[in-house]
Amino acid sequence: GWSALIGQWANRRLMPGRPYKATLTAPIPNMGVDPVALRGAAYLRRRLPCNAVDLAPRCVRLEMRLTLGPGESAAAVKAYTRSRTPGETEAPIRAVKQTMLVGIICDPATLLPYATETLTRTQYMHPHGEGPDVMVREDRQVFTYGEPLGTLE
């Protein structure tokens, strides 16, 4: 949830552009397995206005770029394979890859959000056979609070 997300920056002195280690637990859509750890980096990108009313650059843009590691991917595929009922017609999954990009515009002192955006891209690799062997799912969530300043570009 929000606490796990904003916890990546709480009580840190951030330098613009410098990467910080980040870990976030998230589900893998369509697999029905326990949430997995995504690892990567968190960044303070730049200062910018908080909203369209107050155009002074009082807020910051924070970003995270996370990926599912090979060990977590293999464990998720194994759990998914174990959970399947013999004879199911759904195509088996050979491997899964997941990346997540998170952007937050917030007050740097309080971490009060003005806008958040999350893009999650999941790739499911199926054994070779008939049909495509890779299925891609992209999920995008955007939340704005108060009177936001446009999008998270």
Side-chain angles (χ1 to χ4, degrees):
W2 178 250
S3 296
L5 183 62
I6 207 65
Q8 303 296 320
W9 294 286
N11 301 317
R12 285 189 172 182
R13 294 185 61 112
L14 303 175
M15 302 298 294
R18 179 177 172 210
Y20 298 87
K21 288 183 182 179
T23 302
L24 190 65
T25 302
I28 300 177
N30 300 337
M31 288 187 66
V33 298
D34 290 336
V36 295
L38 300 169
R39 300 181 200 306
Y43 302 87
L44 167 70
R45 285 296 181 201
R46 66 181 189 276
R47 288 194 163 274
L48 70 169
C50 298
N51 56 50
V53 175
D54 180 3
L55 296 178
R58 299 183 205 288
C59 278
V60 292
R61 178 177 168 81
L62 305 173
E63 291 181 0
M64 278 196 304
R65 297 176 184 278
L66 306 162
T67 59
L68 179 64
E72 289 85 358
S73 173
V77 170
K78 189 174 184 178
Y80 171 78
T81 302
R82 277 196 315 262
S83 72
R84 292 172 45 87
T85 304
E88 277 189 68
T89 58
E90 192 174 306
I93 295 174
R94 176 174 43 89
V96 64
K97 294 180 182 180
Q98 188 171 41
T99 58
M100 181 182 289
L101 306 176
V102 179
I104 300 173
I105 295 173
C106 67
D107 180 298
T110 64
L111 298 178
L112 175 71
Y114 285 85
T116 63
E117 181 176 22
T118 304
L119 175 63
T120 305
R121 186 171 202 256
T122 309
Q123 295 175 279
Y124 308 89
M125 278 61 77
H126 300 284
H128 292 287
E130 291 187 31
D133 63 351
V134 178
M135 181 183 86
V136 177
R137 173 179 169 159
E138 289 189 348
D139 297 293
R140 182 175 182 249
Q141 292 181 320
V142 177
F143 297 97
T144 57
Y145 311 88
E147 295 184 42
L149 178 69
T151 62
L152 294 171
E153 297 170 355

